[in-house]
Amino acid sequence: TFLPYARRMLAAAQEAKEALRRSERGKVSIGSLRSLVTPLITESLLRFQQKYPSVDVVIHEGRQAQIATMLHEREIELGILCWPNLDPLVTDLEPLLVMRERVPLVVTPAIAAELGPSPRIDDVLKRVPRLISIPWWQVYPDPAVALFRRAPVSVELPTGPARRLATKGEGVGFFVMSAVAADIAEGRLAEIRPIDVDPIHRDIAMVVRHKGVLEREMLRDFATEIAAECQTAGTVLESTILPQAANAA
């Protein structure tokens, strides 16, 4: 009968109408490493929506290669990923901001108190032999690799289960500060600084395929809001998106 065809035609017309409405409202699409969605995008999104209440926003999360691929295939306009990007297939990214984030070694406060202010790593691993491994980087830094080799046992976990293991005193691990700042502030975890382990960090960048996309005011404003969160989450090493005074600071 004609009825099924009529329904499909009406559905197609409705989809076209919705697509037109979205194009008139505007849309912003961003991709970020999973570990940075909460610390960098949550509050910046709230401020952005206050200024642009009718703009559609799509936030994708994923691993480094996924974010780089989404940028390459123009599925997103702006990405937040580790820097420099080592993917040989995606070499044309423009950094708007580069931020350095500390990656402290953490245990429970009780274990930290037992170890004292200046433990050696062998003492740490004797007390907590299970090393928690989380792939914060594209390539593990040398101090982390050396620690993995010395640990009696290791476990690789996503961030949530890894934090749970650490807060229960069942493991020691390197965590990006944004992932454990609340745990440290509220006394669930404590940073330890073994005298024979060098401090480590992670550099991340907010990037675009080309800076011409910032001609869209709404995207530029969202990027500026994210950049403001970066100043809180870490140390901004370079920026072309922050006001000059903030960038110099």
Side-chain angles (χ1 to χ4, degrees):
T1 66
F2 179 71
L3 186 58
Y5 297 104
R7 285 174 175 167
R8 283 199 291 271
M9 291 173 64
L10 287 171
Q14 183 63 32
E15 289 177 4
K17 185 178 180 181
E18 179 62 23
L20 178 61
R21 190 157 47 234
R22 287 187 176 183
S23 67
E24 292 171 347
R25 290 198 305 255
K27 176 181 175 182
V28 172
S29 55
I30 294 174
S32 172
L33 296 174
R34 291 189 180 98
S35 60
L36 293 169
V37 171
T38 297
L40 297 187
I41 295 181
T42 303
E43 295 299 323
S44 57
L45 175 59
L46 290 173
R47 295 193 298 271
F48 176 81
Q49 288 180 324
Q50 289 176 352
K51 186 174 182 179
Y52 298 95
S54 299
V55 172
D56 290 334
V57 178
V58 179
I59 306 295
H60 298 273
E61 63 175 18
R63 293 181 177 272
Q64 178 85 9
Q66 293 170 318
I67 303 303
T69 298
M70 282 188 266
L71 283 161
H72 181 69
E73 296 180 355
R74 293 180 170 82
E75 295 177 22
I76 57 176
E77 301 165 278
L78 184 148
I80 302 171
L81 37 64
C82 290
W83 195 254
N85 178 51
L86 302 180
D87 189 335
L89 301 179
V90 185
T91 60
D92 56 349
L93 302 180
E94 293 274 357
L96 305 178
L97 176 146
V98 179
M99 178 192 86
R100 176 160 293 175
E101 184 176 19
R102 292 180 57 237
V103 187
L105 191 64
V106 299
V107 293
T108 63
I111 293 174
E114 289 180 33
L115 292 169
S118 303
R120 290 191 168 274
I121 193 59
D122 285 342
D123 297 327
V124 175
L125 295 175
K126 186 180 297 184
R127 176 61 182 83
V128 193
R130 183 178 293 106
L131 182 66
I132 300 167
S133 172
I134 307 172
W136 303 118
W137 308 270
Q138 298 171 85
V139 177
Y140 280 94
D142 290 342
V145 173
L147 185 53
F148 296 148
R149 289 174 177 167
R150 295 172 71 171
V153 61
S154 66
V155 55
E156 185 167 332
L157 292 169
T159 307
R163 284 178 55 247
R164 177 70 171 168
L165 205 66
T167 58
K168 286 296 182 181
E170 295 297 326
V172 56
F174 288 109
F175 286 78
V176 291
M177 181 56 81
S178 59
V180 293
D183 291 314
I184 292 174
E186 295 168 15
R188 291 185 293 272
L189 289 172
E191 180 179 0
I192 57 173
R193 300 179 180 181
I195 58 176
D196 48 351
V197 175
D198 293 332
I200 59 178
H201 61 265
R202 174 176 73 166
D203 289 347
I204 68 104
M206 178 166 54
V207 302
V208 293
R209 282 288 302 273
H210 59 86
K211 293 184 178 178
V213 300
L214 296 181
E215 293 176 5
R216 295 182 63 215
E217 183 180 7
M218 64 180 67
L219 183 62
R220 184 175 66 251
D221 285 351
F222 204 161
T224 302
E225 294 293 354
I226 295 172
E229 294 300 315
C230 289
Q231 291 181 291
T232 301
T235 301
V236 175
L237 302 180
E238 59 182 84
S239 171
T240 60
I241 195 73
L242 283 169
Q244 194 62 39
N247 191 20

